[in-house]
Amino acid sequence: MMGLTWDKSLVAGGNDDLLGDGVEFEVYSSVSEADQDDSVNTHVIEALDYALSYLDRNVKDESRFFLVGWDATSSTLMFAVTDDAKQLDSPVVVRCHFAGFSKKLASDSQRESVVEAYKENVRFWCKEHLSTSSAFTQYSLIALFVDEGRARAGLL
């Protein structure tokens, strides 16, 4: 399986539920065609590691949380560093759209239960990886999982 390819774009903040307020973000985006658990897991970890590679640029004095955002509707994973209020995000955001998984879901008669199960899988994979990541543990950030807006974010 090939690794993910990342594209950089500049995006204004505050225009969707996952991105916080800010003037402009560097958003690194990728698309995964993976549709099986093991390959989706591999790409989730690859995207997470890519986001962690930007911690040196993203962590500031006011940084408190490392957000792992999962938008089940679009099968998109987002990573950002944010402040106490979960509003002022880091300048670099990483997103990965799981297009292969999304296509697979579209034809699944058990879509709702599969979406819920996958949310738990993504949460578990990220939590497990962060717990052993030296790139993450060198910063005193709290990992949060967001799937229904930042106000309802929970510990990872």
Side-chain angles (χ1 to χ4, degrees):
M1 177 175 61
M2 289 191 46
L4 297 172
T5 303
W6 298 95
D7 296 315
K8 176 183 169 182
S9 59
L10 298 177
V11 176
N15 60 359
D16 69 31
D17 288 338
L18 289 182
L19 270 184
D21 293 330
V23 178
E24 195 170 58
F25 297 96
E26 284 180 29
V27 177
Y28 290 87
S29 302
S30 189
V31 176
S32 167
E33 293 300 333
D35 61 358
Q36 301 299 315
D37 279 5
D38 58 340
S39 53
V40 171
N41 178 9
T42 298
H43 281 173
V44 165
I45 299 308
E46 186 177 338
L48 179 54
D49 280 338
Y50 193 74
L52 293 174
S53 74
Y54 285 101
L55 286 179
D56 60 333
R57 282 186 56 198
N58 280 339
V59 175
K60 309 287 183 242
D61 288 343
E62 65 276 6
S63 299
R64 174 71 54 155
F65 299 110
F66 181 77
L67 291 181
V68 176
W70 175 248
D71 182 347
T73 308
S74 66
S75 299
T76 300
L77 191 57
M78 182 275 306
F79 303 100
V81 175
T82 192
D83 65 344
D84 283 339
K86 296 185 276 283
Q87 292 179 343
L88 185 62
D89 285 1
S90 54
V92 178
V93 175
V94 173
R95 287 184 166 175
C96 186
H97 172 59
F98 287 85
F101 175 67
S102 202
K103 287 178 204 151
K104 181 180 169 185
L105 272 185
S107 62
D108 196 319
S109 61
Q110 303 294 313
R111 187 179 195 287
E112 298 236 347
S113 62
V114 172
V115 165
E116 188 62 28
Y118 245 85
K119 176 180 83 171
E120 292 309 314
N121 283 351
V122 168
R123 185 180 191 142
F124 176 77
W125 293 332
C126 290
K127 178 180 179 177
E128 286 294 297
H129 190 67
L130 286 175
S131 70
T132 60
S133 167
S134 60
F136 180 71
T137 55
Q138 68 182 322
Y139 295 94
S140 55
L141 295 171
I142 300 165
L144 294 180
F145 188 78
V146 181
D147 65 335
E148 294 180 24
R150 293 175 179 227
R152 299 194 52 192
L155 290 175
L156 190 60

